[in-house]
Amino acid sequence: MEPHAKLYLLSDEDEGLFGDGKWRLLMAVREHGSIQEAARELGRGYRKAWGDIKSAEEAFGRAIVRKTRGGSSGGATELTEFGVQLLDAWEKFRSEVSSCMNEAFEEYLKPIIGGIDDER
Amino acid sequence: MEPHAKLYLLSDEDEGLFGDGKWRLLMAVREHGSIQEAARELGRGYRKAWGDIKSAEEAFGRAIVRKTRGGSSGGATELTEFGVQLLDAWEKFRSEVSSCMNEAFEEYLKPIIGGIDDER
DNA sequence: AAGGGATATGTTCGAATGAACATAACGATT
DNA sequence: AATCGTTATGTTCATTCGAACATATCCCTT
């Protein structure tokens, strides 16, 4: 029994534009220089990964990655400057919220549900 | 473009046991003294509301509400002492995390994505 | 020019989650 | 005992979202 937060950036229409899922994906892209590889690592299909990146870029209205096709390597994808900044900012954001959440959990909820375990 | 957090309590198997949805539901139950009324207010069906309460109680392993059937009123549902404590604790928990998140957003993300609007 | 690996998209299938429908049981009041 | 409004459950339908399948395109290398 532990707390967890799913963090999002929402549009005015309450659509989820960005969250930990896309953050992890972009992390993997930065690391491997390829959407294909990134998707493989995360156990997601390329189709999904590609679509996620596209929708994120549409949401922000600007490029997060720079992609190239063809060549001996087949192609590649790297983060734009904005992409890198976004990742770093999100990292700090989520980390801060996460630790804050754990504190609040210990202070308010733990005393109430503390002794409860749930293995059934 | 604003931040949002979905807060959960997770079991060891990563199942979502409790969150804002059930919190709001229990709030409405406390206010109206009836699952039926609570569901009506939230625009959810009674079936769903009843099931949600049941699963929450199973998750915590103890009663959150005390229900009675029959009578002139048809029946009624009130929160147990534990239920009330849980609601209050969750209220403080979410409030704290929420304000913390907004601070973190202003500090880290706003500077990066600040000028972006998305009405398309 | 042929090959290979990654990007680019459309499409179809399946699982999960909530909405909706249908009853049954209950019990104070009349 | 008949009624009425609520609790209690099973079941079925719809919608959403990711998984999976299928191609097409690109372009450096050989």
Side-chain angles (χ1 to χ4, degrees), chain B residues 2-56:
Chain B
E2 53 184 49
H4 184 76
K6 285 188 179 177
L7 300 175
Y8 299 98
L9 290 181
L10 296 180
S11 72
D12 302 332
E13 297 85 19
D14 274 19
E15 301 167 282
L17 302 182
F18 193 82
D20 277 358
K22 283 166 185 168
W23 172 66
R24 266 189 289 271
L25 173 59
L26 292 178
M27 294 265 287
V29 169
R30 171 167 64 177
E31 182 185 348
H32 294 103
S34 151
I35 297 177
Q36 190 74 250
E37 262 309 298
R40 226 190 306 276
E41 173 177 306
L42 299 182
R44 265 177 279 181
Y46 169 83
R47 184 65 177 79
K48 173 77 165 42
W50 175 84
D52 282 352
I53 290 177
K54 181 175 182 181
S55 74

Side-chain angles (χ1 to χ4, degrees), chain B residues 3 8-9 21-23 32 38-39 45 49 51 60 69 75-76 85-86 100 105-106 108 114 118-119:
Chain B
Y8 299 98
L9 290 181
K22 283 166 185 168
W23 172 66
H32 294 103
F60 287 111
R69 294 202 296 184
Q85 289 177 357
L86 179 61
C100 161
F105 176 73
E106 294 294 328
Y108 300 115
D118 56 278
E119 294 89 48

Side-chain angles (χ1 to χ4, degrees), chain B residues 104-119:
Chain B
F105 176 73
E106 294 294 328
E107 183 174 354
Y108 300 115
L109 287 168
K110 197 72 168 293
I112 307 296
I113 65 177
I116 298 180
D117 55 293
D118 56 278
E119 294 89 48

Side-chain angles (χ1 to χ4, degrees), chain A residues 7-24:
Chain A
L7 300 175
Y8 298 98
L9 290 181
L10 295 180
S11 73
D12 301 334
E13 298 85 20
D14 274 18
E15 301 166 282
L17 303 182
F18 193 82
D20 277 357
K22 284 165 185 166
W23 171 65
R24 266 189 289 271

Side-chain angles (χ1 to χ4, degrees), chain A residues 43-55:
Chain A
R44 266 178 278 180
Y46 169 83
R47 183 65 178 81
K48 174 76 166 42
W50 175 84
D52 282 352
I53 290 177
K54 181 175 182 182
S55 74

